[in-house]
Amino acid sequence: MRLFTSTWRFYVAVILVIGSIGSLFSLGVKEFAAGIIVSVLLILPELLYFLKPAASIWKKWDESASSQKQQDRIDRARSGDLTPRWVDVKGKIASFTGSDGGVAYKTTLKKCSCPDFAKRGVPCKHMFYLADRCDLIDR
Ligand SMILES: [Zn+2]
């Protein structure tokens, strides 16, 4: 399992937990509890995403997948016309190398950091690739 551990929220949460443990000795239980609660809230979105079943996350895209343009993206996702860096089916996340070779895209079943998704707001080939690997697309 691979959560998006590289995000700033995760690092801030780790620092907060360490700080909270420190404050348990210097300040008190209240400060410790506050620090822990804030840490949990910071990573809550990713935790909830991880716990939610893949099918219920993907459901919102069901209609958009039926158009011809989206079918083309599904075909491209299956033809191997992209370069996954890693795919975590259990965590429902993946990372792809961008077409220019430099940037790495972060992909979940909800969104993708590629320009195609940013522009259109419907699943891109990366998301279809991940959805396909998660067994969410009919063959
Ligand atoms: Zn994408």
Side-chain angles (χ1 to χ4, degrees), residues 96 105-107 111-117 124-127:
F96 296 86
Y105 302 137
K106 281 180 179 178
T107 308
K111 58 186 179 184
C112 180
S113 61
C114 76
D116 188 38
F117 181 78
C124 55
K125 61 182 181 181
H126 311 112
M127 290 170 72

Side-chain angles (χ1 to χ4, degrees), residues 12-134:
V12 172
V14 168
I15 292 164
L16 261 172
V17 168
I18 295 166
S20 303
I21 292 166
S23 75
L24 186 58
F25 302 103
S26 56
L27 296 168
V29 177
K30 240 195 260 174
E31 288 74 13
F32 170 75
I36 296 296
I37 288 166
V38 173
S39 314
V40 170
L41 287 176
L42 277 169
I43 59 163
L44 200 60
E46 287 177 29
L47 204 59
L48 290 177
Y49 177 78
F50 178 74
L51 294 172
K52 207 171 176 186
S56 79
I57 299 167
W58 190 250
K59 207 160 51 186
K60 67 181 281 200
W61 304 121
D62 271 356
E63 256 173 61
S64 74
S66 59
S67 82
Q68 185 53 48
K69 272 198 162 170
Q70 289 304 82
Q71 193 56 51
D72 292 346
R73 286 192 177 84
I74 294 172
D75 293 342
R76 248 182 291 154
R78 284 183 176 155
S79 69
D81 178 30
L82 28 66
T83 42
R85 296 168 73 229
W86 48 262
V87 178
D88 183 341
V89 171
K90 198 166 184 276
K92 306 178 280 289
I93 55 175
S95 178
F96 296 86
T97 302
S99 42
D100 62 2
V103 264
Y105 302 137
K106 281 180 179 178
T107 308
T108 70
L109 295 175
K110 276 180 155 175
K111 58 186 179 184
C112 180
S113 61
C114 76
D116 188 38
F117 181 78
K119 196 172 144 198
R120 295 174 314 107
V122 291
C124 55
K125 61 182 181 181
H126 311 112
M127 290 170 72
F128 279 123
Y129 183 95
L130 177 62
D132 201 23
R133 291 287 305 273
C134 293

